Amino acid sequence: MAASLQRIGIVICRTFPVILQRNIQAQRIRDWKTSAPVLRLNFRALSSSSSSSSSADDTDSTEVLSRYSDRPWEYLESEEYIERYGSKPVWSNYRRNHKGGVPPQKTRKTCIRGDKICGNPCPICRDPNIIVHYKNVNLLQQFISPQTGIVHDPIRTGVCMKQQKLLNKAIETARDCGLLFAQLPHVDYSKEDYSNTHGAVAPTPAPFSLSSGELWYPWYGSIKPDERELARVKRIYKDYLKPDV
Amino acid sequence: MATFSFTRCLVRSYFCVKCVDHVQTRLQTTASRSSKYSKSQFTDTEVQDILTKITGLDLKKVFQPIRQQLTPPKYKLMTDTELEEAVRKAEEQAKHLLKMPPVLPERKPVNDVLSEDQMLEGMGTAKYVFTDINFNVPHRERFIVVREPSGTLRKATWNERDRIIQVYFPKEGRKITPPPIFKEENLRVVFEQDRHEDVLNQCVVQFEPDSAEFKNVMEIDVHGKYDLLRSTRFFGGLAWHLVNGRRIDGLLVDMLQSDLMQDAVRLVRLFNLVHPQSESAQHAQRQQATDLDLLKIYAQYESNRAGFIELAVQTYEQTKALSSF
């Protein structure tokens, strides 16, 4: 009797926390699903989806997709955005949970793994309508300092590292396309020579070839040999000279 | 043997210099033969003088705070003389910052084949690029050659040269492939936001001043928003381009509307310098006209908006007469 009770107690003690954790997570996922329409396409692609789940996805994905996935910049003018954030940046009311006064110098790697979202997700992951896109200039501006033009550190804004990387890429593309301001260095033109006459960039001049009668060195013709030296050389090599010389 | 090769090199270089000189003199003679009057070039001192004066020197716009790492501000106590000295130094710095990007003739394409080796054909599928990476060689004298899979060894084209030099000697702000801002759609968007200066800065950083892409971007029409570029380094180039295309009416009207009489006069004088065969230039030379008469002559003979220009000149004369009383 006591042994069986003990065994039941052990089983309950072992299974209760697991059930509790599963319940908590299910509740969190339910909350996340009901709070706003969810962008599930990315997560489905990431997780290994079997054929059965994909057929269920097709019916799900049409309603589960965020309304602003095609034009993410429209969300920043919508009423729900203004109600939720007002005129402040998206990351203003976010607070990280960490031990001690100094936060870890890197935020978490990612908030969303597969289907699961962590507790206290970062400002971008907690609102599925906020999509990091290079045309979403108003959102990107919130993550750039207006005075220095430097992208804010993730420790300041609280975004996870994956979203920070996406942000960096989007800001770079926006600057390349001219949608965001990019500070460029001043170019000095005084020192360079633009004549383009050097052989590296101009056609190579044709090789010098002698025309008939022309001598290799111009002074060849003007020097007269010494008569005695000439006679001596001719006498020495008289067997080898041509008959007319 | 060494002395022989050395002297041969000297002779060769002498002949090369002679060839170059000959070519240059030939070019000059053809140029002078084509125009009866001497046409002013961009680099003439008079032209540069006029262009710098037109550009103006608005210190507040030139020294606009740029986006960089901020430092706490420094406060200095100065006497009047020191203040004047500081302002003079600032003006010199501004002049240096407002130096115009040069207007050069378009660079000729490089189509030189150094050797053709048939036996190297089919060795591989990729081209090999050989670059001279000595540090003390100017980029325009750097040898960059390409061995094609067909075996020909040729000098690299200008585009290839720019890319390879950017790989080995990267310049700040320049990308290896031109950024998408220079495509049509993006340019339109940026011009709608009135950010011509940013595009021109990007162009100046990315391209060499004698390349075709540089010229294409710099020749984009400003459509009447001359104020945006007024105190930047691009105003001179813009004015030069408009004068060459004989389209200075818009700019003249803009200047007259903002009461810049002297600038308008200078612009007309520049026009006469660049187009000495035009009617207004010939009339001006005959009558030795100065200041407002130049404007009137130009309005009479060349301009499309003659009425507006004459009206503006008249109002200016009236206000001057009134103020002198």
Side-chain angles (χ1 to χ4, degrees), chain A residues 69-120:
Chain A
S69 58
D70 284 335
R71 293 171 304 276
W73 45 92
E74 285 184 3
Y75 176 59
L76 271 84
E77 272 117 44
S78 69
E79 282 168 10
E80 29 177 334
Y81 175 86
I82 295 168
E83 208 187 304
R84 189 163 170 179
Y85 300 106
S87 56
K88 289 200 203 148
V90 162
W91 48 270
S92 54
N93 65 347
Y94 178 75
R95 194 167 166 173
R96 280 173 81 190
N97 295 331
H98 58 86
K99 284 191 207 162
V102 178
Q105 296 300 292
K106 257 209 240 186
T107 47
R108 65 165 70 90
K109 194 166 173 183
T110 170
C111 300
I112 304 170
R113 285 175 198 267
D115 255 342
K116 290 188 287 228
I117 191 163
C118 66
N120 199 24

Side-chain angles (χ1 to χ4, degrees), chain B residues 88-316:
Chain B
R88 196 183 56 80
K89 274 201 187 142
E91 274 174 4
E92 271 178 37
Q93 173 72 7
K95 274 196 201 120
H96 179 71
L97 284 174
L98 286 178
K99 257 202 136 55
M100 287 173 266
V103 174
L104 300 163
E106 196 170 322
R107 54 195 182 184
K108 302 194 191 83
V110 180
N111 293 331
D112 214 12
V113 173
L114 294 172
S115 90
E116 303 201 26
D117 295 311
Q118 297 301 350
M119 60 177 158
L120 291 171
E121 202 169 330
M123 290 283 278
T125 46
K127 297 183 208 173
Y128 288 91
V129 179
F130 297 95
T131 336
D132 171 23
I133 51 171
N134 280 324
F135 195 70
N136 54 351
V137 173
H139 290 316
R140 303 238 159 193
E141 296 178 16
R142 205 174 277 285
F143 278 97
I144 300 179
V145 292
V146 175
R147 173 79 74 184
E148 309 255 346
S150 63
T152 40
L153 184 69
R154 60 169 176 84
K155 289 184 185 163
T157 55
W158 279 113
N159 267 335
E160 291 168 354
R161 281 190 72 89
D162 285 339
R163 270 188 290 142
I164 301 278
I165 288 171
Q166 180 57 19
V167 166
Y168 287 113
F169 302 97
K171 222 166 146 182
E172 202 192 331
R174 203 180 269 207
K175 310 234 159 50
I176 296 186
T177 41
I181 194 174
F182 297 115
K183 294 204 182 124
E184 290 282 330
E185 323 84 51
N186 291 329
L187 274 179
R188 248 184 290 131
V189 164
V190 174
F191 287 153
E192 268 165 39
Q193 293 175 357
D194 280 353
R195 283 165 52 210
H196 300 77
E197 206 186 318
D198 295 341
V199 173
L200 289 171
N201 269 329
Q202 277 265 25
C203 172
V204 148
V205 162
Q206 178 69 30
F207 300 122
E208 296 281 313
D210 51 359
S211 66
E213 300 98 348
F214 187 84
K215 284 186 160 334
N216 278 340
V217 178
M218 297 296 255
E219 284 166 13
I220 280 167
D221 211 359
V222 179
H223 288 299
K225 296 181 199 154
Y226 303 105
D227 259 346
L228 292 168
L229 290 180
R230 181 141 276 152
S231 213
T232 62
R233 64 197 301 209
F234 305 111
F235 197 78
L238 169 73
W240 176 257
H241 169 58
L242 288 173
V243 164
N244 269 342
R246 290 172 176 245
R247 285 180 301 199
I248 59 173
D249 289 327
L251 185 54
L252 256 184
V253 163
D254 189 60
M255 280 177 173
L256 292 169
Q257 272 174 343
S258 30
D259 289 331
L260 295 166
M261 266 307 152
Q262 290 299 316
D263 281 352
V265 164
R266 282 187 202 121
L267 187 61
V268 175
R269 204 180 297 153
L270 180 67
F271 180 85
N272 292 340
L273 279 173
V274 172
H275 298 284
Q277 309 102 314
S278 65
E279 287 182 16
S280 76
Q282 285 171 357
H283 279 277
Q285 220 186 10
R286 241 174 274 153
Q287 296 168 24
Q288 295 288 314
T290 51
D291 288 359
L292 302 172
D293 300 326
L294 268 175
L295 278 172
K296 283 183 198 155
I297 293 168
Y298 173 76
Q300 215 179 345
Y301 290 106
E302 292 279 344
S303 131
N304 292 333
R305 298 162 77 163
F308 189 86
I309 297 176
E310 279 174 13
L311 190 68
V313 168
Q314 274 169 13
T315 42
Y316 179 74

Side-chain angles (χ1 to χ4, degrees), chain B residues 58-72:
Chain B
D58 187 9
L59 283 175
K60 283 215 170 92
K61 191 166 173 191
V62 174
F63 291 115
Q64 228 169 24
I66 54 173
R67 313 259 181 102
Q68 59 178 9
Q69 195 64 40
L70 293 175
T71 48

